[in-house]
Amino acid sequence: MVSGIGCSSNLPGYINTYGMHTLHGRSLAVATGLKLANHELKVICTGGDGDGYGSAAIILSIPCAGTWT
């Protein structure tokens, strides 16, 4: 189970499994990397609004900023 730092970060602590806390907004990238590295793993990713929208939106907007000038 992969989770970001934020509202959902306690979920791996409630489940008897291996868990990984990642940087805010990076949980999907880490979960994707884990699945690509080992296809046999069952990867579950949790995240709150900050993971999915707040931090990730800023990261995605940086490459687009060059096209606006």
Side-chain angles (χ1 to χ4, degrees), residues 7-25:
C7 301
S8 64
S9 65
N10 289 330
L11 189 57
Y14 297 127
I15 299 172
N16 188 17
T17 185
Y18 292 105
M20 175 182 278
H21 294 284
T22 63
L23 294 173
H24 201 62

Side-chain angles (χ1 to χ4, degrees), residues 23-27 29 50-51 53-65:
L23 294 173
H24 201 62
R26 311 305 195 277
S27 56
D51 284 325
Y53 179 71
S55 297
I58 293 170
I59 294 165
L60 292 174
S61 67
I62 292 171
C64 298

